[in-house]
Amino acid sequence: MEDQWIKFGQTVICGLLLGGMYSLIAIGMTLIMGVMKIINLAHGALVMVGMYVTYICSTNYGIDPYIGMFIAMPVLFLLGCLIQKYMINRLVEVDSILPENQVLLTVGIMLVLTEGIRLFFKSDYRSVTTSYSSNTVFIGDMSISVPLVIGFIIAMAFTFLLHLFLTKSDLGKSIRATSQDRDAAVFMGINSSKITMITFGLGAALAAAGGSLLLPLFYLFPDVGHLFTAKSFIITILGGLGSTWGAAIGGLILGLSESLGATYISMGYKDVVGLVIFILVLLFLPGGIRSLVKR
């Protein structure tokens, strides 16, 4: 019986730690959805590109993945700004016959990024190994992976700093104002085009950060972005559209659910658990966790 409780406790802790890193990726998506009102299906591809930037820094230059993350983030911020300004913004500024055109554009961007990476790196599975990859810390009789602990701490630090940025800085307040009412924000003198570009870049940078934190834990290949797009979308819906704290909590719930599913059902059904949660939320809690807070 004691071994079962140790197994359960270890499963819960690992799931929450992994979910914290999922949250960081999903917060990037929910920021973009909240401000631009579009579903960015290229988000996972941005995560994947960020992982490859960190991978190159690690394998070619010997830079630790958690340091390489600070190289990947500005690279993806710039890429996100360029995508928004020269691609997505062109659709936003014109009257579109199909409102879904913006979503279709992000699908096209996702395909271009995925196949572009495949052209250079092939479809080989790659991984990053550090000196502490196999290290563990002990909480009682429970052993926890060091990369999980480090990744969670960094992810929560980024989440807290983002909260401070959005609530305390003028630029952050402008992003929130644009998210709540774009027309009113424009009347108040906010440059909405600039804000949307910065927001998309910030979302891409957070995607790169989350991907870099997960790099020591996941295999890297061009199609891994599809997995992170699905997870980010599930978390965003679970947390409530546009809610950064909802996304943070949603990520913890998804990570915990996947960990419990992998341990007590089957590792092969780990990702199915998230899809089941997604369907249940759409059926019984369409507003996500955010709607519970408002009640």
Side-chain angles (χ1 to χ4, degrees):
M1 179 62 72
E2 184 179 351
D3 290 342
Q4 290 297 321
W5 280 112
I6 292 173
K7 179 181 178 181
F8 175 76
Q10 185 167 314
T11 299
V12 169
I13 292 173
C14 290
L16 292 174
L17 295 178
L18 183 62
M21 289 177 273
Y22 286 166
S23 297
L24 188 60
I25 295 173
I27 287 172
M29 174 178 273
T30 201
L31 265 180
I32 293 170
M33 292 177 71
V35 173
M36 301 180 63
K37 312 302 180 188
I38 66 168
I39 299 172
N40 178 26
L41 296 181
H43 195 71
L46 294 172
V47 175
M48 177 269 297
V49 173
M51 293 175 78
Y52 269 99
V53 173
T54 305
Y55 172 81
I56 292 171
C57 291
S58 177
T59 56
N60 291 6
Y61 303 102
I63 300 174
D64 187 276
Y66 299 127
I67 304 298
M69 171 181 63
F70 292 100
I71 299 174
M73 287 180 70
V75 171
L76 266 292
F77 178 84
L78 178 60
L79 177 61
C81 289
L82 292 175
I83 288 174
Q84 197 285 326
K85 183 175 182 179
Y86 294 107
M87 295 182 185
I88 296 176
N89 199 47
R90 291 183 178 273
L91 250 62
V92 173
E93 290 179 344
V94 298
D95 292 328
S96 176
I97 298 175
L98 293 174
E100 296 84 0
N101 278 2
Q102 296 169 12
V103 177
L104 294 176
L105 176 61
T106 63
V107 172
I109 293 170
M110 176 267 293
L111 292 173
V112 169
L113 291 175
T114 301
E115 298 309 317
I117 289 293
R118 198 190 313 278
L119 181 65
F120 286 101
F121 294 96
K122 309 304 179 185
S123 295
D124 300 336
Y125 281 65
R126 302 166 188 268
S127 62
V128 168
T129 303
T130 63
S131 58
Y132 48 84
S133 291
S134 58
N135 291 0
T136 58
V137 294
F138 287 89
I139 302 175
D141 292 325
M142 297 178 291
S143 60
I144 310 298
S145 168
V146 167
L148 269 178
V149 175
I150 296 175
F152 177 81
I153 292 173
I154 295 175
M156 290 300 99
F158 272 124
T159 302
F160 179 69
L161 290 174
L162 178 67
H163 174 71
L164 291 180
F165 169 73
L166 292 175
T167 55
K168 302 298 182 182
S169 70
D170 290 338
L171 180 57
K173 292 176 182 177
S174 297
I175 291 174
R176 291 169 59 208
T178 305
S179 173
Q180 293 168 6
D181 192 326
R182 178 187 291 266
D183 293 334
V186 171
F187 290 142
M188 294 298 292
I190 294 174
N191 186 336
S192 62
S193 296
K194 178 181 176 181
I195 291 300
T196 52
M197 183 183 71
I198 292 174
T199 301
F200 200 97
L202 184 59
L206 291 174
S212 298
L213 294 178
L214 289 169
L215 185 58
L217 303 167
F218 279 73
Y219 281 109
L220 177 59
F221 56 101
D223 293 310
V224 74
H226 305 327
L227 177 67
F228 291 121
T229 296
K231 292 184 187 298
S232 299
F233 192 58
I234 291 169
I235 294 169
T236 300
I237 298 300
L238 178 59
L241 297 180
S243 173
T244 54
W245 282 111
I249 296 171
L252 295 176
I253 293 173
L254 179 62
L256 177 60
S257 302
E258 285 188 355
S259 184
L260 290 172
T263 300
Y264 293 104
I265 302 176
S266 169
M267 181 64 74
Y269 290 103
K270 178 173 69 73
D271 295 324
V272 176
V273 173
L275 296 176
V276 172
I277 292 174
F278 177 62
I279 294 172
L280 292 176
V281 169
L282 288 179
L283 289 175
F284 301 108
L285 193 65
I289 296 171
R290 186 180 185 180
S291 64
L292 294 177
V293 176
K294 288 185 177 180
R295 292 175 189 173

